């Protein structure tokens, strides 16, 4: 399976963000980010149910992100 | 199989045909960069639309944190579809010969009932988390197996998290009204990047590459080619047996105040069937107290049609489909979600346990196609979505 160009582009973007790591938000500064309302798909079961009917009624999928992503507070 | 039964059954099977797609999605949703906390979660989700289709899908999820370094999740979902043949709002139709709600469909059993089982094991490896996931789904004319591996790894003092996943899906489709059994195999690679930009802003980038081989249509749908006023030909739909699907998306969560946040998202999708789509979304969340929170979601979606989709066919073509989800159009959705946590001063005996929480959501979905649906002859689909759940952390 050949990976397309945009994957390479994404890796470049990733690398750029990692190089930007010196401007980090410290763990003790992440109180706001640890709030559930700052998490992506904080309720994955609800998200799964929503995607259930969207994929039935629409012809596309993917690119919806992964659960949480989180604040790295742990 | 008679035409009218095919037409009716196709509406019923509208759901079953895309179950593998749903599986992929759910499997991806199981992925997380953390070891799952110990909890028991039970939900009842429901869907009702103006095409006469009702779906009830209760699900139960159990997660156990085995240690600080690993955890296990189990999940069961039951997908119960009240068939359009029993509930259809439409009277007998001159083109599709669809029956009324009293006449039954092509299946011996009027309802679809799919069972899905899932298991996931997560293990910490250095700073990252590796997850192995498996799912099995079955019903009387379909089965599916899904295996996936996910790795999440944080960098830069956990300001950046990379998530990668590889997923393999193997489906078997054997419609009750056909004599054949066909297969569909899917490979899915997903890469995500989550970046903290400030104390109040976190953003996630995501890219998906999905390669599907095999049978990708609804085995119950039919295409009627009208030769003259009194004669016609009924054929099965035909599609290319390979489809490469790609999507990129970005979402950002902005803490507006100490208790409220705004999430904005955009996704672009394109595939080898010439479908392109744009999705924009916005959600605002608010903690009204330590115990009660609400989220309002808005979503707008725009799609082009597959290159071989036509509302009607007047001659046999190499590829043919009348499936509305491959048609061009747009959709809108609004959803309100509420969460209520248990507390000692709640006043209700049952709800004084702080480990308990209740969730509920109500939504409205509207899809507008550029040409009428092959079966209902409606351009517009309306759907109502309701969900209620209970979660217990232990």
């Amino acid at each position: 399976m050949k990976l397309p160009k945009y994957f390479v582009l994404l890796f470049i973007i990733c690398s750029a963000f990692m190089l930007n790591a010196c401007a980090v938000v410290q763990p003790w500064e992440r109180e706001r980010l640890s709030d559930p309302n700052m998490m992506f798909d904080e309720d994955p079961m609800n998200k799964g149910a929503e995607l259930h009917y969207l994929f039935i009624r629409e012809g596309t999928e993917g690119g919806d992100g992964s659960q949480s992503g989180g604040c790295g507070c742990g | 199989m008679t035409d009218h039964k095919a037409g009716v059954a196709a509406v019923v099977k509208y759901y079953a045909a895309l179950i593998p797609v749903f599986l992929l999605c759910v499997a991806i949703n199981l992925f997380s960069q953390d070891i799952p906390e110990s909890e028991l979660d039970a939900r009842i989700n429901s869907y009702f639309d103006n095409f006469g289709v009702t779906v009830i899908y209760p699900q139960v999820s159990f997660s156990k944190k085995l240690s600080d370094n690993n955890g296990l999740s189990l999940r069961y979902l039951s997908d119960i579809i009240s068939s359009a043949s029993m509930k259809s709002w439409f009277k007998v139709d001159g083109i599709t010969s669809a029956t009324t709600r009293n006449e039954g469909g092509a299946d011996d059993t009027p309802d679809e009932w799919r069972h899905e089982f899932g298991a996931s094991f997560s293990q910490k490896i250095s700073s990252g988390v590796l997850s192995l996931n498996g799912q099995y789904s079955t019903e009387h004319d379909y089965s599916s197996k899904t295996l996936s591996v996910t790795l999440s790894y944080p960098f830069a003092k956990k300001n950046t998290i990379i998530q990668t996943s590889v997923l393999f899906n193997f489906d078997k489709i054997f419609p009750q009204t056909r004599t054949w059994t066909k297969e569909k195999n899917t490979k899915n690679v997903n890469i995500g990047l989550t970046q903290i930009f400030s104390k109040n802003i976190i953003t996630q980038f995501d890219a998906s590459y999905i390669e599907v081989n095999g049978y990708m249509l609804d085995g119950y749908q039919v295409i009627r080619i009208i030769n003259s006023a009194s004669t016609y030909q009924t054929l099965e739909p035909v599609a290319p047996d390979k489809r490469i699907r790609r999507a990129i998306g970005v979402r950002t969560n902005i803490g507006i105040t100490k208790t409220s946040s705004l999430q904005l998202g955009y996704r672009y999708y394109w595939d080898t069937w010439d479908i392109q789509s744009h999705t924009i979304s916005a959600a605002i969340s608010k903690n009204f107290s330590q115990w009660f929170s609400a989220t309002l979601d808005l979503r707008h979606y725009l799609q082009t049609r597959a290159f071989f989709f036509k509302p009607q066919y007047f001659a046999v073509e190499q590829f043919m489909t009348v499936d509305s989800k491959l048609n061009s159009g747009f959709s809108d959705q609004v959803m309100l979600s509420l969460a209520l946590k248990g507390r000692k001063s709640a006043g209700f005996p049952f709800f004084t346990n702080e480990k308990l929480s209740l969730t509920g959501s109500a939504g409205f979905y509207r899809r507008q196609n550029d040409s009428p649906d092959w079966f209902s002859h409606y351009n517009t689909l309306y759907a109502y979505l309701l969900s209620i759940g209970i979660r217990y952390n232990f």
Side-chain angles (χ1 to χ4, degrees):
Chain A
M1 187 167 51
K2 190 181 173 185
L3 292 180
K5 288 175 186 171
Y6 69 90
F7 267 79
V8 178
L9 181 65
L10 191 77
F11 271 118
I12 294 169
I13 293 170
C14 293
S15 306
F17 279 119
M18 280 182 273
L19 289 173
N20 188 39
C22 44
V24 295
V25 176
Q26 299 295 342
W28 57 87
E29 297 174 317
R30 296 178 196 167
E31 183 186 355
R32 183 69 190 90
L33 294 169
S34 67
D35 190 301
N37 73 22
M38 288 295 289
M39 297 178 79
F40 297 108
D41 306 330
E42 187 261 341
D43 187 344
M45 284 178 85
N46 213 28
K47 177 75 175 179
E50 181 188 339
L51 292 176
H52 186 16
Y53 72 82
L54 288 178
F55 288 133
I56 288 160
R57 294 308 191 193
E58 296 170 356
T60 64
E61 67 164 314
D64 288 302
S66 45
Q67 183 206 337
S68 185
C71 67
C73 304
Chain B
M1 179 178 66
T2 61
D3 271 359
H4 81 269
K5 287 188 174 180
V8 171
V11 177
V12 181
K13 287 304 187 179
Y14 209 64
Y15 280 85
L18 278 184
I19 285 165
V21 174
F22 168 61
L23 284 178
L24 297 176
C25 166
V26 170
I28 289 166
N29 262 297
L30 290 172
F31 305 158
S32 171
Q33 86 284 6
D34 296 321
I35 299 296
E37 295 297 326
S38 297
E39 67 174 31
L40 184 64
D41 199 332
R43 302 290 171 98
I44 296 178
N45 307 294
S46 56
Y47 169 102
F48 313 91
D49 72 24
N50 66 329
F51 284 23
V53 177
T54 298
V55 184
I56 309 286
Y57 38 113
Q59 52 182 326
V60 181
S61 168
F62 171 80
S63 298
K64 176 72 178 167
K65 193 171 187 175
L66 301 173
S67 74
D68 286 344
N69 292 322
N70 51 38
L72 180 71
S73 294
L74 301 171
R75 179 170 158 274
Y76 170 72
L77 184 149
S78 187
D79 199 4
I80 305 162
I81 303 170
S82 258
S83 63
S85 59
M86 304 304 285
K87 283 184 169 267
S88 178
W89 311 137
F90 313 114
K91 295 183 185 298
V92 175
D93 182 272
I95 301 297
T96 64
S97 300
T99 54
T100 65
R101 70 184 69 184
N102 299 320
E103 294 188 31
D107 293 344
D108 296 332
T109 51
D111 294 336
E112 296 296 317
W113 193 347
R114 181 174 64 92
H115 303 277
E116 180 185 308
F117 307 89
S120 175
F121 179 76
S122 301
Q123 174 70 46
K124 268 197 175 178
I125 296 174
S126 184
S127 303
V129 175
L130 181 75
S131 292
L132 303 174
N133 311 282
Q135 281 192 101
Y136 178 67
S137 179
T138 182
E139 62 179 301
H140 68 95
D141 55 2
Y142 161 85
S143 69
S144 175
K145 294 170 193 164
T146 303
L147 293 169
S148 66
V149 181
T150 305
L151 178 65
S152 299
Y153 208 87
F155 294 88
K157 296 184 180 176
K158 296 187 176 179
N159 275 246
T160 305
I161 298 169
I162 288 185
Q163 292 139 318
T164 62
S165 64
V166 180
L167 184 148
F168 298 95
N169 179 243
F170 311 95
D171 291 347
K172 273 191 179 172
I173 304 129
F174 34 95
Q176 212 172 345
T177 52
R178 306 283 186 207
T179 53
W180 46 256
T181 296
K182 292 186 179 177
E183 294 185 352
K184 184 177 85 170
N185 298 321
T186 305
K187 292 177 240 177
N188 184 332
V189 179
N190 198 78
I191 298 178
L193 173 84
T194 304
Q195 176 68 40
I196 293 173
F197 282 107
S198 75
K199 296 174 191 175
N200 298 313
I201 299 176
I202 184 167
T203 300
Q204 188 176 76
F205 303 88
D206 194 70
S208 299
Y209 177 86
I210 303 163
E211 189 178 303
V212 192
N213 289 285
Y215 186 75
M216 281 173 268
L217 289 173
D218 182 335
Y220 289 88
Q221 285 190 347
V222 293
I223 291 172
R224 175 172 291 183
I225 296 170
I226 299 171
N227 300 320
S228 68
S230 58
T231 62
Y232 58 85
Q233 211 178 344
T234 301
L235 299 167
E236 287 187 44
V238 188
D241 59 6
K242 183 166 186 172
R243 188 178 185 186
I244 293 175
R245 322 179 76 177
R246 308 172 185 94
I248 50 172
V250 59
R251 302 188 289 179
T252 191
N253 230 340
I254 305 160
I256 305 169
T257 68
K258 285 185 176 178
T259 58
S260 61
S261 68
L262 174 69
Q263 187 182 121
L264 301 171
Y266 170 75
R267 182 189 70 156
Y268 174 64
Y269 167 97
W270 69 109
D271 68 25
T272 52
W273 287 7
D274 282 358
I275 291 182
Q276 294 179 47
S277 76
H278 300 273
T279 311
I280 53 171
S281 60
I284 188 154
S285 295
K286 169 84 177 165
N287 297 331
F288 289 95
S289 71
Q290 196 178 344
W291 318 105
F292 176 63
S293 62
T295 302
L296 180 68
D297 283 282
L298 301 171
R299 178 182 183 272
H300 180 72
Y301 172 84
L302 191 65
Q303 176 184 308
T304 62
R305 68 179 177 84
F307 72 89
F308 56 98
F309 173 89
K310 285 183 182 175
Q312 286 179 307
Y313 290 84
F314 298 99
V316 178
E317 299 185 18
Q318 183 185 8
F319 300 121
M320 299 184 290
T321 181
V322 288
D323 194 336
S324 285
K325 66 182 173 294
L326 300 178
N327 193 359
S328 53
F330 66 90
S331 70
D332 292 295
Q333 177 189 290
V334 59
M335 177 91 74
L336 178 66
S337 305
L338 306 173
L340 187 62
K341 289 179 183 171
R343 56 182 169 141
K344 286 177 183 169
S345 58
F348 305 104
F350 173 68
F351 212 56
T352 53
N353 191 329
E354 293 184 354
K355 293 178 176 179
L356 208 61
S357 57
L358 293 177
T359 58
S361 66
F364 177 73
Y365 175 80
R366 170 178 172 264
R367 185 189 72 187
Q368 180 76 36
N369 281 132
D370 289 344
S371 56
D373 180 74
W374 75 286
F375 180 70
S376 72
H377 294 188
Y378 287 173
N379 283 57
T380 308
L381 175 138
Y382 298 100
Y384 301 92
L385 311 136
L386 292 169
S387 171
I388 189 162
I390 186 165
R391 186 187 296 175
Y392 181 73
N393 296 88
F394 55 92

